[in-house]
Amino acid sequence: MMRVDAVQAQRVLVGDEFVPATVTFHHGRITGIEPVEHQTEGLVIRAPDSAYVVPGIVDTHVHVNEPGRTEWEGFVSATEAAALGGATTLIDMPLNSIPSTVTVDALRVKQDAARGELMVDVGFWGGAVPGNVAALEPLWEAGVFGFKCFLADSGVAEFPPLNPSEFLAALTEIARFDGLMIVHAEDAGVLAGAPNRPSRSYTDFVLSRPDEAETAAIQQVIDGARATGARVHILHLSSARALDRIKAARDEGLRITVETCPHYLCFAAETIPDAAPQFKCCPPIRDGGNREELWQALRDGVIDCIVSDHSPATAEEKERGGGDLQQAWGGVSGLQVGFSAVAQEARRRGIALSRVSHWMSRNTADFVGLGHKGRIEVGADADLAIYDTNVDFRIEATRLAHRNPISAYDGLRYGGRITRSIVRGNAIDVERPDHDWGRMLTRPAKEQQ
């Protein structure tokens, strides 16, 4: 880490516009946004003219898996990958680690595992599973940012799904203390009725996770929000068939938000090779027409934000079944790559980089109540990323920082990459990494949100 006092650039994202500016820091906070020619004492990073300075990415959907499955991903490797990709804040999912974060005691185990291993700031989601309704409010008071649940099999035995009555009971409790439920929305009954034979075909895999699985589950979430008044969030939306329902629910006044992911915006089912488990995720990557509808929903504000859903596993897990996509672990490793990939895809569609930044930084920060992150303004945390369009980013999975060298982005080239991340006024030096700088975050008190 290298403590810096200012960043100067010809393109700094202030509000909705890129302007020439000098951004000054003190004690980890932004203290001024001055003209670019402003002279300041101390150490100043001067970005090249081809670079854009954006707020650090706030990635609210990351599976770190430590403790218990640290061989899949741990805090050291995950936060280094985050820093290299411009993400200065992560919120860690409650499952795949052992124990799952479904009690306060389990949260403390997770926090102990993270201590001294963080290159960026990290907070934690709690989990809602059968039988832990009484644990939800204590977890909320202990500082989790909300509660994740599944409506179908999660893939790990220690984090079972909620059936409809259990889901409604958990929502009722969460509404009582005005918490937040985030939902993996695939319907167990629809999945059970879909064709699910062993197959190396990506087309067969998509047929096994049809659009109807998402639309039915999202309708259940909408109905639950209407019945209880709870605040709800749809995780990793894949199917554009659900967009009309989400818009109608929002127009009705229900408190519902939704995210999608870089892999749904960058890939299309018809171009994915068979027996390529690096592309497998649940819900699946769908066709190119669906992808364009997701982009339009972002433009229209129906989808609120973009997150990585970084969910790595060992080669053994990803290659289980020898190419049979029903057996392989589902999850895309994109934490280090997502911003560059989305920025290029947005550029192809004439979408401004400022909007990409809002979807990946400001909107995600606001979603979890971190109003001092995800923006470049006086008083905010001095979390910045420098994105240089004059530096190519050729993806080689073996050179990415996450623990296992598997990536759907392997071999791709992007015309722009993150060249520097700054966390609370400290420039990260990946050649001399310091994993004791990141802070553990807890949910801000409501009056501070």
Side-chain angles (χ1 to χ4, degrees), residues 74 131 137 159 185 272 311 357 376 422 432 434:
E137 187 173 22
F159 203 96
I272 293 175
S311 186
S357 176
I376 299 175
I422 297 168
R432 301 175 62 188
D434 183 349

Side-chain angles (χ1 to χ4, degrees), residues 285-427:
I285 297 164
R286 303 190 188 275
D287 64 77
N290 181 90
R291 176 186 61 194
E292 297 313 310
E293 290 186 69
L294 296 179
W295 275 108
Q296 188 60 49
L298 281 162
R299 293 183 185 98
D300 294 341
V302 180
I303 297 176
D304 301 278
C305 53
I306 303 171
V307 298
S308 70
D309 189 13
H310 178 70
S311 186
T314 61
E316 179 183 12
E317 288 294 324
K318 289 299 285 182
E319 295 167 5
R320 190 185 338 131
D324 177 3
L325 296 178
Q326 295 300 338
Q327 295 188 51
W329 177 260
V332 173
S333 300
L335 182 56
Q336 188 174 333
V337 179
F339 185 86
S340 293
V342 172
Q344 180 156 306
E345 291 295 325
R347 191 159 59 244
R348 288 173 178 163
R349 293 166 175 80
I351 298 172
L353 184 64
S354 59
R355 298 201 73 184
V356 173
S357 176
H358 284 348
W359 291 326
M360 301 185 77
S361 297
R362 179 183 288 265
N363 292 5
T364 45
D366 289 349
F367 161 56
V368 292
L370 294 174
H372 59 292
K373 290 186 176 291
R375 64 212 71 213
I376 299 175
E377 60 186 38
V378 173
D381 278 3
D383 294 344
L384 307 176
I386 299 175
Y387 172 70
D388 194 338
T389 55
N390 202 37
V391 180
D392 279 353
F393 189 8
R394 185 182 184 281
I395 313 301
E396 297 179 51
T398 56
R399 300 184 67 180
L400 295 173
H402 66 262
R403 185 175 294 271
N404 291 282
I406 303 165
S407 175
Y409 300 89
D410 187 36
L412 298 179
R413 184 186 296 272
Y414 294 111
R417 70 177 300 165
I418 299 293
T419 57
R420 174 75 81 174
S421 294
I422 297 168
V423 180
R424 286 178 283 102
N426 290 267

Side-chain angles (χ1 to χ4, degrees), residues 184 186 202 205-206 208-209 236 238 261 263-264 267 272 276-286 308-309 311 318 325 328-333 408:
H184 181 122
E186 289 183 287
Y202 190 77
F205 172 64
V206 174
S208 76
R209 320 287 298 204
H236 44 50
S238 160
C261 305
H263 39 278
Y264 300 132
F267 301 117
I272 293 175
Q278 65 268 33
F279 291 95
K280 179 185 174 180
C281 55
C282 301
I285 297 164
R286 303 190 188 275
S308 70
D309 189 13
S311 186
K318 289 299 285 182
L325 296 178
W329 177 260
V332 173
S333 300

